[in-house]
Amino acid sequence: MADGDMPKKPALARDVNRIGDSFIFPPRVMDDIHIKSELGRYRMRGFSLFKKIPHWDDLTFMPGTLTRFVIEGYREKCDTDVKIGPRAKRPLELDIPIYITGMSFGALSYEAKTALARGATMAGTATCSGEGGMIPDERRYSSKWFYQCIQSRYGFNPNHLVLADGCEFFIGQGCKVGLGGHLMGQKVTDQVAEMRSLPAGIDQRSPARHPDWLGPDDLALKIQEIREATDWQIPIQLKLGAARVYDDVRMAVKCDPDSIYIDGMEGGTGAGPHLATEDTGVPGIAAIRQARKAIDDLGKRGEITLIYAGGIRNGADVAKAIALGADAIAIGHSAMMALNCNKDIPEANYPEEIGAEPGYCYHCHTGRCPVGVATQDPVLRSRLDPDEAAERVYNFLHTLTIEAQLFARACGKTNLHSLEPEDLAALTMEASAMAGVPLAGTNHTVGIEDYHHL
Amino acid sequence: MASVTDAELKEMTQEERVKALGMTTEQLTGKSLYIEFDPDAEERFTYPWAPDVDFNKRTELDCDGLTTTEVNAKVRDLMNEGYGTVVLQNPRGMHSLGVGILNKLNLIIEGSTGYFAVGLIDGPNVRINGRVGWSCGENMMSGTVMIEKNAGSTFGAAMRGGDLVCRGSVGSRTGIDQKGGTIIVGGDTGALSGFMMQRGRMVVCGNAGKNLGDSMYDGTIYVGGEIKSLGVDAVTAELTDLDKAWLTRKLKQYGMMPDKGVDHFTKVVAGKMLWNYDNLEPNEKKLIL
Ligand SMILES: Cc1cc2nc3c(=O)[nH]c(=O)nc-3n(C[C@H](O)[C@H](O)[C@H](O)COP(=O)(O)O)c2cc1C
Ligand code: SF4
C-alpha cells in the first residue's frame, strides 16, 4: 500500500507504514511546540529535570568480603555526625550528615516550612530559610538554621541574620544554573508580597546577580561584611549550581567561606523554566568529584566543608555522594515527598485539581498543590497536618541515615565519612568517566590511563 | 488566592483574616512537641541586644593600627558602655566599617571608607566626612547616613528603610533592588540606577546614566538633570504637587535644595508592563528582547 492511500481498515498502532515515530520529534516534543506557540513564552514548571542523565543508579558499592572486614549491622558504632564550618566560632554541628535545603516560604506553605523545621530538629539536623526572608516560627522550631542571602534580598533583615546559625549565599542552583528565583503571581499572596516588599499577585522573577557584588573579589569582601555583622560567629556557606565546578570551587575557596554547597543538575525547584531544568548544569556524580578535588588541591580539606544536593532519594544516594567526597547532603524534593508531595491522600483529587495522576505531579509553580505543600491557599494548606508531617520528615531523615550507615558498615567503615571513591564501581562508561571510579569488573576508569597508579 | 476572595476577606474579622492568611502562631501538638520542645530550653527567637546609649556621651576612637574587626568590636563595646556619639578617626579606607549596628547611635567617620560602609544597619545616624567605596548603606533598615563627598557603585543596594544621602556623585547601579527608604544624590548617578527597584524613593539632583529604572517593579525616581536613557519598563510620570512638597521637604532637610527649586525634576516610575507577562499583547512581548 502506497503512502497516502486511504486505509481499508483503521490503522493499527503498530502499523509502521502509518505511524510517524520520529526520534527527533516524538509526541511530547510536538506537544511542547504546540503549547509554546499558544503561550508566547517558555514553559514554567516545578520539580526537577525529566530526562535521563548519568546518576546515582549508575554506581554500585563494593562492600567488604574477604579483602575487607565488615562492621556489624546494628551493634557496632558507625558515626554520622558532621561539623559544618569547623573554623567558625560557632560551627554548625549536625547529628546526621543530611539536612533540609533552603526552600522559600512562598514556594512552600507555612505548614510545610514549620513541619520541615520540626522534623529536622527531631533528627538533630538543620534547615534553611530559602528566599523571601524568615518566618519566625521556622526559626523557633529549627534548632539549627541557615539564613539565606540571595540575589533578590527579599525580606533580608540584619535583625534576622544575627539569629541564624549559618548564613548561606545563594549564587546558583543546579536546576537552573545562572538564573534567579521564580515565584508566579498565583503564589504571591498579600503576606508573601509584604515579606518581599513587592506588589501582590505579580510574577516575581528574582535577579540572577547579587546587587552589591559582581565577582569573586567583591564576594570575598561581602563575606567579610557578613562576618563582621555576625561577629565571626557563624559559618558562611556559598551555594553554587554545578557547572564549571573545578574552577568555580577554586574561586569560591579563594573567597574563604566556611562551607561550599554544590547543587547538581538533578536539583529541584519550586518554579523554573522547563528548558532550564533540563538543559543547565552537570550531574552530581561529576560535580562532587571535581569540587572535592578543588578544595583538596588548595589544601582546605577539613577546613571548608563540602555539601552536596540534587536528586538524593535514599540512603544509597547519600552514601554514594559521601563516598565521592561530600561532607554533608542537603535534600529538597525528597523531603517534600515525606511531607506528602505526589501522595494519593483522600482529600486530594489530582486529576481534577492539577490534571495529572498522583506520582506525576510537577505543578508546584501553580500554587494549586493538591496536598498543601507548595501552595499558599488556605483550603489546600489545611490538607497538611503539620504534626504528622513533622514526624514523617523525622522518620525519613532517620531512615536515610540508617540506610547510608548500612552501606558504610558493609564497606567496613565505623564512620560514614570514611566512605571513599574506592568503595564504588561504575555500571556505565559515562558514570565511570564522570565519577572517576572504575567500570565494574575492570581496572579501567574511563579517561584515566592507570587509575591505581595516579 | 484561589479560595479566599477579596470580598470574603473584607467580611472577616481581623482574627479570622489572620487565620485565613496563615499568619497565626502554631500551637504545637503531636510527637515532635514532647521529643524536642522543652519549655525550659532557650528560646531560639530573641532579638539581639540593644544597649541604651546617651547621645551626649561622646568619645573618639583612632582606627590607626586597628583591623576592621577590632574597630567594629570596639564600637560595640562603647555602645555597651553607654556612649551615644562615637567619632572614628583615620578610617584609612577600611572595608565593612560600622556594619550591622542594630541600635541608635551617632557615628561620625572622619575620612573615607572602603566597600560596604555601614551596611546592614538598623537605627544609627551616620556622617562620613569623606568618600565611600561600593555598596555603602547596603540593606540598611532605618537611620540616616550622610556622605560628604562621592560614593562608589551600588550605593544603597537592596536598602529597605531610612535616608541615605550623598552630597557628591555616585557610581552606577545606585539603589539596585531598593525595597524602601530614600536615597538622595547631590550630583550625578551612573548607569542602571534603580535597577529592579521595588519600593521607596530615589532623588538624583544631577544627571542619570543609561537605563535608569530598568525592570523596576515599583517605587519612584526623581531626576533633576538629564536622563541618558530609561531602562525597560521605566516610564516618566507627571510631577504632582505632592511630589514637589515631598522633594522640597527632603532636600531642605539635608541642605541640598537646588537654587532653581524642584519644578524641573523628572519623575520616573514603573510601567508595570512586566508585572504579569501573560497579560501582554503579542507585540508587547518584544519589550524584553
Ligand atoms: C519548592 C522548592 C523551593 C526552592 N526554593 C529555593 C530557595 O528559595 N532558595 C534556594 O537556594 N533554593 C531553593 N530550592 C532549591 C533547593 O534548595 C535545592 O537546591 C534543590 O531542591 C536540591 O535538589 P533536590 O530537590 O533534588 O534535593 C527550592 C527547591 C524546591 C523544590
Ligand atoms: S504534589 Fe504539590 S509539592 Fe508535589 S509536585 Fe505537585 S504541586 Fe508540587
Side-chain angles (χ1 to χ4, degrees):
Chain A
M1 183 171 60
D3 277 354
D5 284 0
M6 281 302 291
K8 303 234 162 32
K9 56 178 176 114
L12 289 175
R14 61 175 182 278
D15 182 345
V16 289
N17 292 319
R18 290 271 142 208
I19 302 241
D21 187 10
S22 167
F23 187 75
I24 312 265
F25 288 101
R28 64 182 164 79
V29 173
M30 298 190 204
D31 289 347
D32 182 58
I33 295 173
H34 296 150
I35 292 170
K36 285 190 290 204
S37 11
E38 298 263 324
L39 278 177
R41 62 163 166 80
Y42 45 74
R43 289 168 69 188
M44 293 294 295
R45 66 172 176 83
F47 224 78
S48 51
L49 90 174
F50 289 159
K51 71 182 179 191
K52 175 156 171 38
I53 56 165
H55 74 135
W56 310 110
D57 289 351
D58 300 329
L59 297 175
T60 183
F61 275 102
M62 311 269 268
T65 42
L66 288 179
T67 51
R68 303 273 191 294
F69 162 112
V70 300
I71 301 297
E72 212 53 68
Y74 294 101
R75 296 163 193 88
E76 281 179 278
K77 266 288 209 211
C78 176
D79 294 332
T80 59
D81 54 325
V82 62
K83 223 184 230 184
I84 298 181
R87 289 180 311 176
K89 281 195 206 154
R90 196 150 57 81
L92 251 175
E93 291 174 18
L94 308 183
D95 295 349
I96 60 172
I98 307 151
Y99 79 89
I100 308 286
T101 184
M103 293 183 278
S104 60
F105 170 68
L108 296 192
S109 64
Y110 170 90
E111 289 74 12
K113 283 295 273 176
T114 50
L116 288 172
R118 290 162 58 186
T121 298
M122 284 171 80
T125 193
T127 55
C128 172
S129 67
E131 187 168 22
M134 174 185 88
I135 40 171
D137 282 346
E138 183 190 25
R139 167 68 282 204
R140 277 199 184 95
Y141 301 151
S142 304
S143 62
K144 289 142 194 160
W145 180 72
F146 273 109
Y147 189 42
Q148 203 169 52
C149 178
I150 193 163
Q151 289 97 327
S152 62
R153 306 288 161 83
Y154 291 140
F156 195 81
N157 186 333
N159 294 290
H160 297 165
L161 173 66
V162 293
L163 297 176
D165 302 300
C167 178
E168 176 177 273
F169 278 81
F170 177 102
I171 298 168
Q173 73 185 93
C175 180
K176 39 175 178 172
V177 189
L179 278 71
H182 295 78
L183 197 68
M184 296 296 102
Q186 303 91 314
K187 292 174 93 169
V188 185
T189 60
D190 293 348
Q191 187 191 5
V192 171
E194 197 45 49
M195 279 178 68
R196 300 181 182 216
S197 318
L198 283 169
I202 66 160
D203 292 343
Q204 174 244 289
R205 289 181 167 81
S206 319
R209 272 198 311 261
H210 278 263
D212 49 358
W213 59 269
L214 294 181
D217 294 339
D218 320 344
L219 173 57
L221 297 176
K222 177 74 192 173
I223 291 177
Q224 189 198 7
E225 186 211 14
I226 298 283
R227 287 210 170 107
E228 288 294 328
T230 54
D231 196 22
W232 295 71
Q233 296 278 338
I234 57 173
I236 311 284
Q237 174 162 310
L238 303 183
K239 172 172 180 174
L240 312 175
R244 293 179 190 84
V245 181
Y246 183 73
D247 294 338
D248 286 338
V249 172
R250 278 186 76 108
M251 284 186 151
V253 168
K254 276 306 218 190
C255 299
D256 203 27
D258 295 294
S259 135
I260 295 174
Y261 174 130
I262 288 286
D263 203 20
M265 79 180 288
E266 302 91 327
T269 181
H274 164 69
L275 272 191
T277 61
E278 298 291 303
D279 294 307
T280 59
V282 302
I285 58 171
I288 299 179
R289 238 20 238 290
Q290 292 186 37
R292 179 81 269 164
K293 186 163 185 326
I295 293 175
D296 292 357
D297 283 356
L298 293 169
K300 296 288 182 183
R301 191 187 193 107
E303 284 180 38
I304 296 182
T305 314
L306 177 63
I307 310 226
Y308 173 77
I312 299 288
R313 305 155 299 175
N314 54 40
D317 295 352
V318 170
K320 287 170 188 172
I322 288 178
L324 289 178
D327 295 311
I329 307 296
I331 57 167
H333 238 120
S334 52
M336 281 163 71
M337 284 164 206
L339 291 176
N340 266 356
C341 164
N342 268 302
K343 187 167 172 185
D344 191 9
I345 58 168
E347 300 90 325
N349 184 344
Y350 281 69
E352 256 177 40
E353 288 166 351
I354 216 90
E357 293 292 329
Y360 296 91
C361 178
Y362 61 87
H363 297 274
C364 310
H365 65 296
T366 62
R368 297 200 313 266
C369 175
V371 291
V373 172
T375 179
Q376 297 300 322
D377 183 318
V379 174
L380 297 175
R381 279 167 40 198
S382 66
R383 296 181 184 172
L384 183 71
D385 177 336
D387 291 327
E388 290 172 6
E391 254 176 77
R392 287 196 302 272
V393 171
Y394 163 70
N395 283 337
F396 181 60
L397 284 167
H398 180 69
T399 309
L400 285 179
T401 314
I402 56 175
E403 280 180 347
Q405 272 183 322
L406 179 144
F407 293 100
R409 289 191 173 114
C411 291
K413 319 286 180 187
T414 53
N415 187 323
L416 206 48
H417 295 93
S418 302
L419 282 168
E420 51 190 331
E422 232 272 294
D423 296 315
L424 294 171
L427 299 173
T428 65
M429 305 272 275
E430 289 84 354
S432 167
M434 288 184 189
V437 301
L439 193 59
T442 73
N443 275 336
H444 179 56
T445 300
V446 178
I448 297 176
E449 275 297 305
D450 180 359
Y451 189 81
H452 294 279
H453 298 95
L454 257 186
Chain B
M1 252 182 316
S3 312
V4 189
T5 62
D6 284 352
E8 281 169 358
L9 278 174
K10 282 216 180 75
E11 292 290 298
M12 294 178 186
T13 64
Q14 179 60 17
E15 202 184 329
E16 287 166 341
R17 207 173 298 141
V18 159
K19 241 200 163 112
L21 293 172
M23 295 192 279
T24 52
T25 291
E26 196 182 336
Q27 289 299 317
L28 289 185
T29 54
K31 274 190 200 152
S32 61
L33 173 65
Y34 53 82
I35 296 183
E36 270 308 326
F37 297 95
D38 171 3
D40 299 329
E42 199 188 330
E43 166 72 310
R44 294 189 198 94
F45 182 80
T46 30
Y47 273 111
W49 108 135
D52 205 13
V53 299
D54 177 3
F55 286 144
N56 294 322
K57 231 176 130 184
R58 176 187 165 110
T59 182
E60 293 201 0
L61 175 66
D62 190 349
C63 305
D64 203 18
L66 299 180
T67 64
T68 306
T69 311
E70 285 163 349
V71 175
N72 286 339
K74 196 86 187 118
V75 171
R76 245 172 268 146
D77 290 346
L78 290 171
M79 282 193 281
N80 275 334
E81 290 166 24
Y83 285 99
T85 303
V86 177
V87 184
L88 299 182
Q89 300 285 3
N90 295 315
R92 303 172 2 255
M94 272 187 211
H95 302 307
S96 303
L97 211 53
V99 301
I101 299 174
L102 310 175
N103 203 32
K104 65 175 187 183
L105 176 74
N106 277 331
L107 182 68
I108 298 151
I109 303 182
E110 291 293 352
S112 300
T113 73
Y115 280 31
F116 300 110
V118 293
L120 299 163
I121 54 169
D122 192 358
N125 296 318
V126 185
R127 174 183 294 269
I128 302 180
N129 289 319
R131 286 180 292 271
V132 295
W134 277 31
S135 308
C136 174
E138 171 272 320
N139 216 118
M140 70 183 270
M141 306 292 292
S142 71
T144 53
V145 178
M146 178 86 198
I147 291 129
E148 292 296 333
K149 294 185 181 167
N150 294 340
S153 292
T154 68
F155 186 60
M159 116 174 219
R160 296 182 63 185
D163 286 2
L164 180 62
V165 187
C166 174
R167 285 200 197 279
S169 291
V170 299
S172 54
R173 284 167 278 123
T174 304
I176 176 171
D177 294 353
Q178 186 179 351
K179 295 170 173 53
T182 307
I183 296 178
I184 304 178
V185 177
D188 301 339
T189 185
L192 278 170
S193 294
F195 181 64
M196 282 205 171
M197 179 173 188
Q198 293 171 229
R199 280 184 196 172
R201 294 181 170 110
M202 173 152 65
V203 185
V204 180
C205 297
N207 305 325
K210 278 198 295 193
N211 294 336
L212 180 74
D214 196 281
S215 308
M216 62 195 281
Y217 284 104
D218 214 343
T220 320
I221 305 175
Y222 304 95
V223 181
E226 269 174 36
I227 297 172
K228 193 135 193 205
S229 67
L230 289 178
V232 172
D233 208 19
V235 294
T236 53
E238 192 199 340
L239 196 70
T240 64
D241 288 343
L242 225 64
D243 291 318
K244 289 179 197 165
W246 181 83
L247 276 170
T248 307
R249 185 167 61 77
K250 269 289 166 190
L251 290 173
K252 276 196 175 152
Q253 192 178 333
Y254 295 104
M256 290 167 78
M257 187 69 181
D259 296 339
K260 49 180 172 174
V262 295
D263 290 356
H264 64 291
F265 272 83
T266 314
K267 177 178 173 184
V268 177
V269 297
K272 304 183 180 176
M273 300 272 279
L274 295 180
W275 277 17
N276 291 97
Y277 181 83
D278 286 348
N279 296 344
L280 296 178
E281 294 301 321
N283 62 346
E284 289 173 342
K285 291 184 176 172
K286 290 186 180 169
L287 191 67
I288 60 167
L289 295 184

